[in-house]
Amino acid sequence: MVQRRSITTALTASFATVALAACNGSGTDVSEPDPDEPIDLRMTVWTADESQLALFDDIADAYIAENPDLVSSVTFESLPFDDYTTSLTTQLAGGNTPDLAWIFESTAPEFVGSGALADLRPALEESEGYEYEDLLPAALELWSQDDGLYAYPFSNSPFAVFVNTDRIDEAGLPDPQQLLADGEWTFDAMRELSAESADEIGGHGMEVRDFNYSIWENLAMVWGGWDAEAWTADGTECGFTQPEMVEAMSWLHEAIFVDGALPGPGSTPDFFGGDMTFSITQISRASALDGSFEWDLIPLPAGPAGQQNVIGQAGLGVLQNGQDPAVAADFLAYFTNPENAEALAAYFPPPRESLLDAAVLAEGNPMLSQEQLEAVVVGGIDGAITKPAHANFAQLQSTIRGELDSLWTAQADVDVVLADVCEAAQPLLED
């Protein structure tokens, strides 16, 4: 029996540190599951997409059929995307610990270093037919500590640009696919096409999906084209006052408040509703396309520093304080084995080298052509960076969001606002 339920919880992100400390546990041997009786597993996820949840159901049903002595049911518990980490850490602090959980890459260092997660490497390496050596070392890096692996990076999804080609044609604008072929697909070009399409036919130009003037880390898909970064690679120095970041954020501010290329604060347009020309997001969003308009998918544009691939990486971990980490790890090994990883690749590009092939991915992605998958997924993972991640990310995310609030007005002074960001963030980087 596979169950689902939804929870809505709202607390400040700074609560994450307390919650992680509360669930800190000792090391657990997860290589040999042997419960006294079958248990009910619960995994928190942030998707509410019915097609994705149906696939999870199918995998879980197959596991239960093969392992009735270990598991009697699996619950996939959908938490709201915007408040996912807050909701998860609230559960941990309250003693309502799930057995498995999806984890954002932004909080990977915090979770991995907290002791909250079990080391999965023994269970995965010893699982028959798992082919652990097929996992790309670079994909595992963010989730590793010493010789342990504390979450499986089940999704390595490049960010790309969905194009409403009906709007491009109706506005009489150049085809972005041709601009790409000609080496002219740049952020400036996308900004110009966005503003012109909105002027010509109404609606809106472009969006950075899920940014919504609060999830600022999603802007890494833009500022990567300027080679800007939120903080240095060692996580100790604020990067918001560096020239590259100032230039990137100035470009964004002008695109919003001068050109009208992006909808301003308070607007809630939806690319998948058909009234927007471009959306910067991940391929898993293709499931929201309903055939009401023609569309294309192309790589991120180039900025002044060139084209930078950016991936959103999500890990799947086993909680130390769950009811039976060994059983949870066994299910995780089954959930992510080569066969199931290939099925999940329809939505979540896997970290398996053998599956990062356009022909293979096309079999599970009927909405995307082999050419699109080659350009966006296979090509998009090569040399990619991830969104900002830090051991103190929960506090940084909240603090920086608060300082950036004053940037989202037409009269804002970008230099002053970004200086305030670094003044507030630097002490948290030094903790």
Side-chain angles (χ1 to χ4, degrees):
M1 179 176 68
V2 182
Q3 305 166 332
R4 306 182 199 133
R5 55 182 168 156
S6 296
I7 289 180
T8 55
T9 305
L11 290 175
T12 59
S14 60
F15 190 68
T17 303
V18 177
L20 288 172
C23 69
N24 198 356
S26 58
T28 302
D29 182 5
V30 298
S31 59
E32 296 186 13
D34 186 25
D36 294 333
E37 58 183 28
I39 65 173
D40 301 313
L41 288 178
R42 178 166 59 94
M43 180 196 300
T44 58
V45 301
W46 59 72
T47 182
D49 183 280
E50 287 298 320
S51 59
Q52 295 175 14
L53 291 170
L55 175 57
F56 302 163
D57 288 355
D58 290 342
I59 296 173
D61 283 338
Y63 177 82
I64 294 167
E66 293 182 21
N67 301 274
D69 56 327
L70 298 181
V71 173
S72 53
S73 71
V74 179
T75 298
F76 295 105
E77 183 178 0
S78 297
L79 305 179
F81 180 85
D82 290 349
D83 299 316
Y84 178 82
T85 299
T86 300
S87 299
L88 173 59
T89 53
T90 299
Q91 290 192 19
L92 304 185
N96 183 30
T97 305
D99 301 289
L100 304 99
W102 288 6
I103 300 167
F104 287 115
E105 75 277 89
S106 55
T107 55
E110 190 169 12
F111 271 90
V112 170
S114 71
L117 302 174
D119 180 6
L120 300 173
R121 184 166 181 170
L124 301 185
E125 286 185 328
E126 296 172 20
S127 179
E128 184 177 356
Y130 193 79
E131 300 178 14
Y132 186 88
E133 67 281 357
D134 189 36
L135 303 181
L136 293 165
L140 305 181
E141 185 175 348
L142 190 61
W143 311 96
S144 300
Q145 183 171 275
D146 300 325
D147 293 328
L149 178 67
Y150 293 89
Y152 166 88
F154 74 92
S155 181
N156 302 263
S157 187
F159 285 86
V161 180
F162 280 92
V163 184
N164 184 325
T165 55
D166 281 352
R167 285 178 58 85
I168 291 289
D169 292 343
E170 184 180 351
L173 299 175
D175 179 9
Q177 189 70 251
Q178 188 59 52
L179 293 176
L180 177 64
D182 294 340
E184 298 176 359
W185 178 233
T186 65
F187 274 104
D188 284 342
M190 184 166 70
R191 171 176 162 179
E192 183 176 345
L193 295 179
S194 297
E196 289 183 1
S197 65
D199 287 343
E200 289 290 331
I201 60 175
H204 300 276
M206 61 178 283
E207 68 173 357
V208 180
R209 191 76 177 181
D210 298 318
F211 162 49
N212 297 331
Y213 294 92
S214 61
I215 306 179
W216 57 264
E217 60 269 26
N218 278 11
L219 295 178
M221 279 71 79
V222 176
W223 73 52
W226 278 256
D227 199 24
E229 55 186 4
W231 40 74
T232 53
D234 63 4
T236 61
E237 297 291 333
C238 179
F240 277 89
T241 53
Q242 293 301 306
E244 298 83 0
M245 182 66 84
V246 173
E247 185 179 348
M249 296 297 266
S250 297
W251 180 94
L252 183 68
H253 190 269
E254 291 174 3
I256 298 167
F257 297 104
V258 177
D259 296 344
L262 286 83
S267 300
T268 57
D270 180 14
F271 172 86
F272 297 98
D275 66 346
M276 182 175 288
T277 309
F278 300 105
S279 179
I280 298 176
T281 189
Q282 293 165 296
I283 66 166
S284 59
R285 299 287 187 170
S287 61
L289 294 162
D290 60 6
S292 59
F293 59 87
E294 295 296 316
W295 58 275
D296 198 359
L297 180 68
I298 58 178
L300 291 175
Q307 198 274 342
Q308 175 63 67
N309 294 323
V310 183
I311 62 172
Q313 195 178 57
L316 174 56
V318 168
L319 279 303
Q320 290 262 35
N321 283 8
Q323 55 187 323
D324 195 320
V327 173
D330 192 70
F331 173 69
L332 187 152
Y334 183 87
F335 192 80
T336 63
N337 67 24
E339 179 182 357
N340 289 324
E342 184 171 354
L344 291 166
Y347 308 103
F348 310 107
R352 291 185 173 275
E353 185 174 11
S354 62
L355 296 179
L356 291 178
D357 175 90
V360 173
L361 292 172
E363 294 178 5
N365 289 271
M367 298 189 68
L368 301 176
S369 69
Q370 189 168 325
E371 292 74 19
Q372 288 171 329
L373 289 165
E374 180 67 41
V376 172
V377 179
V378 178
I381 291 177
D382 183 36
I385 61 172
T386 62
K387 294 189 296 180
H390 196 278
N392 201 16
F393 185 81
Q395 293 188 64
L396 284 163
Q397 206 280 342
S398 178
T399 298
I400 293 173
R401 181 180 63 230
E403 295 298 331
L404 284 177
D405 279 347
S406 58
L407 184 61
W408 313 128
T409 64
Q411 297 76 31
D413 186 316
V414 176
D415 291 270
V416 170
V417 172
L418 297 186
D420 290 343
V421 169
C422 275
E423 183 177 357
Q426 189 58 46
L428 299 176
L429 293 167
E430 295 171 353
D431 282 353

